Each structure stands twice: as C-alpha cells, then as structure tokens.
C-alpha cells in the first residue's frame, strides 16, 4: 500500500484497489463488502485495508499530490481543456461583437454614400423661382411686331 501511495506503480498498474490486490497477491473481491442472499452486508477479509487505502489516497489527492502519473496527466489535461474552452468562448464573443460592429459600420457607410449622392445631384435652389413653361397659343404661329 505504501509503495502504491508513493507512486511506485507496477507496469500497467494504477493507484487503485485492483493493483493493490494484485501486489498483495490477494483476490480483489476480498477488499469489497459481501452481500448475503438474504440482503445483509458483511465485512470481507481485507475491507479494512481497502478503507484505509481509499482514505489515504483521498487525503493525498486533497493535499494536491497524485501518486498515479496518469491521474496527474488527466487532471492537467482537464485544466488545459477548461482553459481552452474559456479562451474559445472569449474569442467567440469577440468575433460576435466584431461582426455586429462590421454590420453597423457597413450600414453607416452605405447611408453616407447615399447622402453624398443625394447632395451631388442637382437640386432646385429654393431662392430662385421655378421655371414656368410657356404655353402655345392656339391658332398657329403669328408674328407680333417686326422681326428685323
């Protein structure tokens, strides 16, 4: 038990009850409580060792020590995954914000362009009276006065 909790794991083993049973040369089921056919639970021969092992392993984990390098790797990868998720969420929010800014900027540019076109087109001057159309006189083209 002490070797496993110090991180001295056998090849292919982990810091768990299965490896502990294998290292002790005992049957793994001897570490778990037994249930009789009538439903009563009875202790197994090595259950006290299993409880002590789990208690000590939990104390090490709460202290921040992980005797199993795979557990440490899993914890590191989970932390890295959470960091990447946060980064991705921030980038997605930034992209969304920039997309809305782009849409707003394009609509403002289009409105300004329309305003420029409107201002460049010839507009009637409100100070000058509008040009009146002359009407023709019915009956033809008569010359009034001398044309010389």
């Amino acid at each position: 038990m002490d070797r496993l909790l110090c991180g001295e794991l056998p090849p292919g083993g982990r810091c768990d009850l299965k490896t502990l049973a294998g290292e002790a040369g005992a049957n793994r089921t001897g570490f778990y409580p037994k249930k009789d056919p009538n439903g009563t639970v009875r202790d197994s021969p090595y259950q006290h060792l299993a409880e002590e092992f789990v208690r000590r392993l939990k104390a090490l984990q709460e202290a921040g020590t992980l005797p199993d390098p795979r557990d440490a790797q899993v914890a590191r990868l989970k932390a890295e995954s959470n960091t990447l998720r946060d980064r991705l969420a921030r980038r997605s929010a930034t992209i969304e914000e920039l997309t809305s800014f782009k849409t707003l900027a394009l609509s403002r540019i289009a409105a300004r362009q329309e305003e420029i076109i409107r201002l460049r087109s010839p507009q009637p001057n409100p100070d000058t009276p509008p040009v009146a159309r002359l009407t023709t006189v019915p009956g033809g083209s008569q010359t009034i006065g001398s044309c010389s």
Side-chain angles (χ1 to χ4, degrees), residues 53-110:
F53 179 77
V54 170
R55 181 186 53 78
R56 288 174 59 186
L57 180 61
K58 188 179 280 188
L60 283 173
Q61 289 171 342
E62 288 174 357
T65 305
L66 298 173
D68 191 346
R70 284 178 282 201
D71 290 341
Q73 182 181 18
V74 167
R76 180 184 57 80
L77 290 174
K78 282 182 180 180
E80 185 178 330
S81 175
N82 289 336
T83 303
L84 291 174
R85 277 194 190 110
D86 292 343
R87 213 160 117 198
L88 180 62
R90 283 194 314 269
R91 292 221 174 141
S92 294
T94 302
I95 288 171
E96 188 175 319
E97 183 180 316
L98 290 175
T99 302
S100 64
F101 176 76
K102 175 185 161 188
T103 303
L104 179 64
L106 288 175
S107 65
R108 285 182 179 174
I109 290 171

Side-chain angles (χ1 to χ4, degrees), residues 106-122:
L106 288 175
S107 65
R108 285 182 179 174
I109 290 171
R112 286 184 183 159
Q113 181 66 25
E114 287 179 13
E115 180 70 11
I116 289 170
I117 291 171
R118 185 185 67 77
L119 292 173
R120 285 185 179 169
S121 66

